[in-house]
Amino acid sequence: MNIVLLGPPGSGKGTQGQLLAQTFGLVQLSTGDLFRQILQDPSHPLYDSLQVIKEGKLVSDEIVNAVVEDALIKLKDAKGVIFDGFPRTVAQAEALDRMLNSMGKKVEVVLDFDVTKDVLLHRLLGRRVCSSCKRVFHIKQGYTECPECQGQLTIREDDNEEVIIKRFGEYNQKSAGVKEYYLNADCAYIRLFVNDPDISAEEVNKWIIQELSKRGLVQ
Ligand code: ADP
Ligand code: ZN
């Protein structure tokens, strides 16, 4: 099963992607994580092109598509892929269909995280990411290290108010087209409306699994 996660920064795509991947034995493919990994290596050929991330701007479709295609080829034997942070433009959605098509696969499910702006800001400004396992926590949980792997908890460079506002702007500008693309596609489109800042990741995960089973997509 191939799943696309749509939603603004802070909507919980990454966390839910990890939980779904664990539950159903799928592989999570996060373009943001792939890019942050590349940014650790100044000698990487894409290092300069990815500097736009620090300003909250989108990376060009050409680069994103090439990175995803490369990753997908390596994942050709996976039971399914969870696309987290991709596609973010209609051109990327079209490219993804072409890539999957050529492998005899398709996008079966789209999860659209519709989260109020207050909740998003609260989460992003308090977000702490484990530098080792990439799990996401919130400062209010009070951890001094990753409770799962004892890795170091870090603040993402683009999680500051100025850059967050730019990322929201990019998302709002581009996402409408991507939503419309999938609403017209032959896949299950599931919309999750989150307006409670205290809802736990486990609750959202349960809710998603309920929605998937209602539609007969999982047992
Ligand atoms: P978030 O959803 O919290 O903004 P991500 O980790 O998904 O975080 O992405 C971080 C940054 O990486 C984005 O702000 C953007 O600059 C870049 N990026 C990630 N995925 C894409 C994509 N599909 N297209 C263009 N840029 C992307
Ligand atoms: Zn960890």
Side-chain angles (χ1 to χ4, degrees):
M1 183 164 59
N2 295 302
I3 306 178
V4 164
L5 307 180
L6 292 183
S11 56
K13 302 182 300 277
T15 304
Q16 294 304 323
Q18 277 180 351
L19 294 172
L20 290 171
Q22 267 169 28
T23 308
F24 299 113
L26 307 171
V27 179
Q28 181 179 24
L29 200 162
S30 157
T31 41
D33 282 348
L34 288 176
F35 295 154
R36 280 184 287 277
Q37 210 173 340
I38 294 175
L39 283 172
Q40 305 269 315
D41 171 14
S43 69
H44 194 285
L46 295 179
Y47 184 82
D48 289 336
S49 332
L50 294 185
Q51 295 303 314
V52 292
I53 292 177
K54 297 182 181 157
E55 294 158 41
K57 292 188 192 140
L58 289 189
V59 176
S60 77
D61 289 336
E62 203 188 343
I63 292 177
V64 180
N65 291 340
V67 169
V68 171
E69 185 153 28
D70 201 49
L72 265 188
I73 291 169
K74 291 179 193 141
L75 295 176
K76 67 177 181 347
D77 297 324
K79 221 169 94 184
V81 177
I82 300 179
F83 295 93
D84 164 12
F86 175 86
R88 264 178 160 90
T89 65
V90 173
Q92 292 178 17
E94 289 168 347
L96 178 61
D97 275 351
R98 280 196 298 275
M99 292 176 214
L100 289 175
N101 215 336
S102 73
M103 301 165 90
K105 300 175 185 173
K106 69 190 282 277
V107 172
E108 274 104 5
V109 181
V110 173
L111 293 175
D112 178 4
F113 293 78
D114 194 341
V115 184
T116 54
K117 206 168 166 189
D118 295 355
V119 176
L120 297 174
L121 267 178
H122 167 79
R123 284 184 181 166
L124 290 169
L125 292 172
R127 175 155 75 179
R128 298 292 181 271
V129 186
C130 171
S131 60
S132 171
C133 72
K134 308 292 172 221
R135 280 189 179 81
V136 176
F137 304 94
H138 194 275
I139 188 171
K140 73 175 181 202
Q141 292 172 287
Y143 296 127
T144 50
E145 58 178 25
C146 173
E148 300 288 334
C149 78
Q150 285 73 56
Q152 193 192 350
L153 296 181
T154 57
I155 301 178
R156 258 171 60 172
E157 202 176 340
D158 57 353
D159 276 348
N160 63 76
E161 199 149 357
E162 192 189 335
V163 178
I164 289 171
I165 300 299
K166 290 199 182 129
R167 284 154 64 203
F168 284 165
E170 284 281 49
Y171 179 78
N172 291 334
Q173 214 183 341
K174 309 273 166 56
S175 69
V178 180
K179 289 184 188 192
E180 195 184 299
Y181 182 88
Y182 284 118
L183 281 167
N184 290 313
D186 172 29
C187 58
Y189 192 100
I190 301 172
R191 187 166 172 236
L192 304 154
F193 184 70
V194 183
N195 59 3
D196 171 6
D198 293 318
I199 193 165
S200 71
E202 288 72 27
E203 282 172 87
V204 177
N205 180 245
K206 252 196 227 155
W207 180 15
I208 294 173
I209 293 177
Q210 263 169 21
E211 292 296 323
L212 292 172
S213 13
K214 253 199 243 167
R215 290 166 174 81
L217 295 160
V218 296
Q219 267 108 31

